[in-house]
C-alpha cells in the first residue's frame, strides 16, 4: 500500500497534505463548538441544562462551563466514585473505555478544546524551554499519579463524617474547570465573585502556571498533568486510531521528530503512549512515510511496522 | 511480535464490547440520571468558589 | 481507506457538529432536561431563564411528597409567614457540611417560620437521604419528590446548596445560594430577616445567634 505513495515530493502530495491539515483544523474548531456550543450561557452566567448533559464527552471539558453541552468524563467519574455508599461507575467507565478503544489519544490531538488552547498558546512565541530528558521522563508519570490519586483514590475513599466526598481533581487542580467554568461564571455574576475565597485564587494561580508552561513547552498540561490523557494513553497500542510509519519509505530526515509537540521521535516511538495523534509528523514527512490510520475492524492495515 | 496487529485488534474488540456492556448496565441502573444531575447543577465547591 | 473517503467522512462529521451547535443555541425545547429529572417533574411548558441566583418561580400550584411518606402543600406555606426551603443533594459536600448547623438553626425558629429541606437527587434509596439527615441531627420535614411549581423550582436551582425563603403566598422573597463557611445560623438569620422585611414583616432575633451583616 505504501509503494503507491512514494512520489510524494510532487505538488499533488503537498496539496493533499494541506487539505488534510485544513480538515483537521476545521474539526478542531468544530469540536470546540460541539462541546461548548451553548453560547448564550456565557452571556447570562448560567449553564446548559438540556438532555445531552447526561452524556459524557470524550474530552476534558468542565460541565460547569456555561457553554458545555455534555458532561465531563473526569468530573463524572469522581462524582460517581464519590457517591455516598460508593457505586461502581459502569456508565462513565464504559463510555471512557469506548472512547479509549476507538479514539484513544486522537481525542487529545484532534478534539480536546483545552488541547487546542495549549496549541494556540504555543504559537505565541517560538522560544522553547527544553526539559532535560531525565526530568521530562519522570514528569510524564505525574499525570498517572494525578489520575490514580485525585480522580480515583481520593474521591472514592476519603469521605467526611457524612459520607460525602469531594471531587479532588475538579476542586483542587483542574485548570480547564477554572478557565471554562470558574472564570466565566465569576465574570458574569458579581455575587459569585464576592464568594470567591483562597481556593479560587489557588486555582487561578494553577491555571496561570499551566498557561505559562504551555507558552514555552508545547502541550505542557497534556504531557505532565492531564488525567484523561493518562487514561487514554493506556489504550495507545490498541486504539482504532493510530499513527503508522512505513519504515521502507522513511528517509531518516528527522523532520517528524522536530515538529512533534510531545517531543517524540515518530521513527522510533510511533505507537508511544505519549502520542496525541496530532498528525504534524505526517504532514511534514517528505516521503509520506507517516500516516494516521483508523482501523476499527481490519487487521490488514497493521502489516506495516508499528 | 509477529501478530501484533491481530492481538491489538482482539484487545480492541474486547474493550469495545466491554465498554458497551458497562454502558448498558449503567443505563439500566439509570446512572445517566446521576451524571445529568451533577452536570446541570454546579456544586460551588467544585469550581473553587465557596 | 482512501484519502477522499476519509476527508468526506470527516466533513460530514463536521457538518453534523455544526448543526448540533446551532440546534443547542436555539433555546426553547433544548434546554429542557425534564425527562431526566427523577422525582421532581416540572411543568411541560416551564422554562427557567434566570441564572440560578434569582428569579425563582413561585410555589402556588404543586404537589410534593416527603421522606416520611406525608405531603407538603400550598396550605403549609400559607400557614407560615416565611417558609425556608433548603435545596441540597446527597453528592454535594458543602450541602452536607452545613446540615448540622441548619438543623440547629431550624430548632430555634419561632412558630411563624417554617423550615424544610428538599433533597434534589431524589435517590431511589431514601435510606441514604434519611441517614444523612439523621447524622446531622435534623428532625424536620424533607421533600423528596413533587410536580408542578415544586418541580419548576428544582429545575431552576442551578447551584447547590440553594435556599429559598418563601412567603405565605408562595412567592420567593429571597434566596441564599451557596453555603457560608462559618456562622451558618447567623447568615441564614440575616437572609430570613431580609425576606421578612421585604414582606413588610418584623425582623426576628434568635437566642445565641449573632446575625451576620449581609447588605454591607
Amino acid at each position: 500500500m505504501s509503494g503507491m505513495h512514494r512520489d510524494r515530493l510532487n505538488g499533488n502530495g503537498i496539496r493533499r497534505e494541506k487539505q488534510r491539515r485544513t480538515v483537521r483544523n476545521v474539526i478542531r474548531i468544530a469540536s470546540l463548538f460541539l462541546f461548548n456550543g451553548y453560547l448564550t450561557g456565557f452571556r447570562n452566567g448560567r449553564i446548559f441544562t438540556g438532555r445531552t448533559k447526561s452524556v459524557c464527552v470524550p474530552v476534558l471539558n468542565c460541565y460547569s462551563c456555561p457553554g458545555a453541552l455534555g458532561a465531563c468524563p473526569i468530573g463524572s467519574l469522581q462524582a460517581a466514585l464519590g457517591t455516598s455508599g460508593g457505586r461502581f461507575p459502569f456508565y462513565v467507565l464504559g463510555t471512557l473505555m469506548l472512547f479509549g478503544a476507538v479514539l484513544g489519544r486522537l481525542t487529545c490531538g484532534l478534539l480536546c478544546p483545552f488541547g487546542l488552547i495549549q496549541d494556540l498558546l504555543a504559537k505565541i512565541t517560538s522560544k522553547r524551554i527544553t526539559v532535560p530528558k531525565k526530568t521530562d521522563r519522570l514528569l510524564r508519570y505525574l499525570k498517572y499519579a494525578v489520575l490514580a490519586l485525585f480522580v480515583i483514590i481520593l474521591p472514592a475513599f476519603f469521605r467526611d463524617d457524612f459520607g460525602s466526598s469531594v471531587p479532588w481533581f475538579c476542586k483542587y487542580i483542574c485548570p480547564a474547570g477554572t478557565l471554562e467554568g470558574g472564570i466565566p461564571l465569576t465574570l458574569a455574576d458579581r455575587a459569585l465573585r464576592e464568594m470567591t475565597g483562597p481556593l479560587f485564587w489557588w486555582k487561578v494561580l494553577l491555571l496561570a502556571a499551566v498557561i505559562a508552561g504551555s507558552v514555552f513547552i508545547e502541550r505542557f498540561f497534556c504531557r505532565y498533568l492531564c488525567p484523561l490523557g493518562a487514561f487514554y494513553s493506556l489504550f495507545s497500542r490498541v486504539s482504532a486510531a493510530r499513527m503508522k510509519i512505513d519504515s521502507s519509505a522513511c528517509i531518516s530526515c528527522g523532520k517528524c521528530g522536530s515538529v512533534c509537540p510531545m517531543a517524540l521521535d515518530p521513527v522510533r516511538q510511533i505507537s508511544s503512549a505519549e502520542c496525541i495523534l496530532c498528525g504534524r509528523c505526517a504532514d511534514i514527512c517528505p516521503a509520506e512515510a507517516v500516516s494516521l490510520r483508523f482501523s476499527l475492524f481490519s487487521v490488514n492495515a497493521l502489516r506495516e511496522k508499528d | 511480535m509477529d501478530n501484533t496487529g491481530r492481538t491489538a485488534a482482539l484487545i480492541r474488540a474486547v474493550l469495545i464490547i466491554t465498554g458497551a456492556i458497562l454502558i448498558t448496565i449503567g443505563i439500566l441502573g439509570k446512572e445517566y440520571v446521576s451524571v445529568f444531575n451533577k452536570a446541570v447543577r454546579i456544586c460551588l465547591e467544585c469550581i473553587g468558589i465557596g | 481507506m482512501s484519502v477522499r473517503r476519509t476527508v468526506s467522512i470527516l466533513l460530514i462529521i463536521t457538518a453534523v457538529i455544526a448543526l448540533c451547535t446551532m440546534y443547542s443555541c436555539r433555546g426553547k425545547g433544548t434546554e429542557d432536561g425534564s425527562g431526566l429529572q427523577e422525582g421532581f417533574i416540572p411543568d411541560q411548558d416551564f422554562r427557567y431563564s434566570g441564572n440560578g441566583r434569582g428569579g425563582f418561580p413561585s410555589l402556588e400550584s404543586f404537589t410534593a411528597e416527603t421522606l416520611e411518606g406525608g405531603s407538603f402543600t400550598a396550605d403549609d406555606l400559607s400557614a407560615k409567614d416565611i417558609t425556608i426551603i433548603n435545596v441540597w443533594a446527597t453528592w454535594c459536600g458543602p450541602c452536607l457540611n452545613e446540615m448540622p448547623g441548619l438543623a440547629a438553626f431550624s430548632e430555634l425558629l419561632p412558630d411563624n417560620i417554617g423550615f424544610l429541606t428538599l433533597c434534589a437527587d431524589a435517590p431511589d434509596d431514601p435510606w441514604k437521604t434519611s441517614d444523612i439527615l439523621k447524622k446531622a441531627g435534623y428532625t424536620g420535614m424533607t421533600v423528596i419528590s413533587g410536580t408542578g411549581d415544586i418541580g419548576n423550582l428544582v429545575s431552576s436551582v442551578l447551584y447547590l446548596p440553594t435556599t429559598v425563603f418563601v412567603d405565605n403566598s408562595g412567592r420567593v422573597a429571597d434566596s441564599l445560594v451557596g453555603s457560608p463557611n462559618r456562622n451558618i445560623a447567623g447568615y441564614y438569620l440575616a437572609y430570613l430577616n431580609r425576606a421578612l422585611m421585604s414582606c413588610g414583616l418584623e425582623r426576628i432575633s434568635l437566642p445565641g445567634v449573632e446575625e451576620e451583616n449581609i447588605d454591607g
Side-chain angles (χ1 to χ4, degrees), chain A residues 5-301:
Chain A
H5 308 301
R6 218 170 277 274
D7 54 350
R8 272 332 143 95
L9 303 172
N10 61 21
N12 263 334
I14 295 174
R15 213 172 304 135
R16 237 182 318 223
E17 301 299 358
K18 274 202 161 54
Q19 219 174 28
R20 265 184 244 164
R21 197 165 2 145
T22 315
V23 169
R24 219 180 287 130
N25 287 333
V26 167
I27 294 180
R28 299 188 73 184
I29 298 189
S31 262
L32 183 65
F33 288 106
L34 173 70
F35 300 124
N36 285 293
Y38 189 56
L39 300 173
T40 48
F42 287 99
R43 190 159 36 98
N44 300 333
R46 56 169 293 168
I47 60 174
F48 184 68
T49 53
R51 248 170 278 236
T52 48
K53 277 270 175 90
S54 61
V55 180
C56 290
V57 296
V59 297
L60 192 73
N61 198 303
C62 187
Y63 43 34
S64 296
C65 172
L69 295 173
C72 176
I74 294 286
S76 302
L77 190 58
Q78 289 161 87
L81 290 168
T83 312
S84 218
R87 254 192 242 132
F88 188 82
F90 293 102
Y91 179 67
V92 181
L93 194 59
T95 312
L96 282 172
M97 284 178 77
L98 213 62
F99 289 139
V102 176
L103 299 170
R105 279 196 102 167
L106 180 65
T107 320
C108 305
L110 192 66
L111 302 175
C112 185
F114 202 64
L116 177 60
I117 289 170
Q118 284 173 85
D119 285 342
L120 292 174
L121 286 172
K123 282 193 196 274
I124 291 179
T125 172
S126 51
K127 274 209 188 77
R128 293 284 174 253
I129 295 177
T130 332
V131 184
K133 272 204 159 42
K134 279 218 181 83
T135 320
D136 178 75
R137 280 190 44 175
L138 204 65
L139 285 178
R140 302 265 180 157
Y141 285 106
L142 189 58
K143 56 182 183 291
Y144 297 97
V146 171
L147 174 64
L149 198 62
F150 286 87
V151 177
I152 301 176
I153 295 177
L154 288 172
F157 296 113
F158 281 76
R159 302 167 191 283
D160 61 23
D161 299 320
F162 299 99
S164 81
S165 94
V166 157
W168 290 78
F169 177 74
C170 296
K171 180 173 176 185
Y172 293 109
I173 302 182
C174 188
T178 317
L179 182 66
E180 298 166 0
I183 290 180
L185 287 172
T186 45
L187 280 178
D189 197 325
R190 182 161 61 97
L192 269 185
R193 239 176 290 158
E194 285 161 15
M195 291 172 66
T196 61
L199 179 63
F200 182 75
W201 294 109
W202 158 250
K203 295 199 69 193
V204 170
L205 189 68
L206 209 54
L207 174 66
V210 169
I211 290 178
S214 307
V215 171
F216 298 105
I217 299 174
E218 290 182 281
R219 291 275 183 152
F220 177 76
F221 181 71
C222 304
R223 289 190 197 190
Y224 305 128
L225 293 170
C226 184
L228 190 55
F231 179 81
Y232 286 146
S233 73
L234 302 172
F235 295 76
S236 274
R237 298 208 117 248
V238 298
S239 61
R242 313 183 60 179
M243 297 305 293
K244 291 249 145 279
I245 191 166
D246 177 6
S247 42
S248 57
C250 173
I251 60 174
S252 303
C253 64
K255 286 209 173 115
C256 51
S258 66
V259 294
C260 179
M262 297 299 274
L264 296 171
D265 176 13
V267 177
R268 290 183 300 112
Q269 300 172 289
I270 196 73
S271 41
S272 164
E274 290 296 304
C275 174
I276 56 173
L277 288 91
C278 68
R280 278 189 227 176
C281 48
D283 284 347
I284 204 164
C285 178
E288 260 197 52
V290 190
S291 57
L292 169 65
R293 295 305 174 108
F294 188 82
S295 48
L296 196 53
F297 304 116
S298 90
V299 172
N300 279 337

Side-chain angles (χ1 to χ4, degrees), chain C residues 27-44:
Chain C
K28 198 167 164 62
T30 58
E31 290 171 27
D32 168 33
S34 63
L36 287 160
Q37 311 275 18
E38 287 229 311
F40 291 97
I41 320 286
D43 292 329
Q44 280 281 36

Side-chain angles (χ1 to χ4, degrees), chain B residues 25-48:
Chain B
I25 298 177
I27 291 179
L28 292 175
K30 301 245 171 140
E31 272 179 48
Y32 59 92
V33 176
S34 296
V35 170
F36 176 79
N37 277 327
K38 281 152 193 135
V40 296
R41 285 193 196 99
I42 304 171
C43 175
L44 286 165
E45 181 188 60
C46 311
I47 56 171

Side-chain angles (χ1 to χ4, degrees), chain C residues 64-102:
Chain C
E65 297 78 40
T66 68
L67 188 57
E68 301 77 27
S71 59
F72 173 70
T73 64
D75 289 335
D76 296 313
L77 280 178
S78 58
K80 306 280 181 186
D81 287 336
I82 292 277
T83 307
I84 306 174
I85 305 179
N86 171 254
V87 182
W88 61 284
T90 61
W91 50 266
C92 166
C95 304
L96 306 200
N97 286 335
E98 70 169 3
M99 203 68 80
L102 275 186

